[in-house]
Amino acid sequence: MFNEIDQTILKLFKEESGYSISKQAGLPYQTVQDLRNGKSSLEKARYETIKSLYEYAKNQGY
């Protein structure tokens, strides 16, 4: 299950800009950038952050 979530979020990061993800998922830009650039890891991110990213990605068809 976690692998599917990780893969979906990583695909989102490759396809969309940090700014777009931030605005559409309702997350701080710096949080999205830190996750995209590897400064923070998905495994240690807050549940609400992962949930927002995953739901946004699924709604976009990723």
Side-chain angles (χ1 to χ4, degrees):
M1 175 71 170
F2 292 115
N3 194 31
E4 175 190 340
I5 293 170
D6 289 349
Q7 293 302 317
T8 302
I9 293 172
L10 291 174
K11 185 171 184 180
L12 174 67
F13 286 164
K14 290 180 184 175
E15 299 293 326
E16 295 195 22
S17 72
Y19 178 80
S20 175
I21 295 168
S22 170
K23 291 298 177 192
Q24 298 300 320
L27 296 169
Y29 174 75
Q30 193 60 52
T31 299
V32 173
Q33 286 301 99
D34 287 349
L35 289 167
R36 289 180 76 193
N37 297 330
K39 187 173 181 182
S40 299
S41 70
L42 287 174
E43 293 80 20
K44 293 183 180 182
R46 291 184 39 216
Y47 173 76
E48 289 298 320
T49 300
I50 299 300
K51 181 180 174 188
S52 294
L53 288 169
Y54 185 69
E55 287 177 352
Y56 174 64
K58 292 306 279 185
N59 286 336
Q60 294 301 107
Y62 295 111

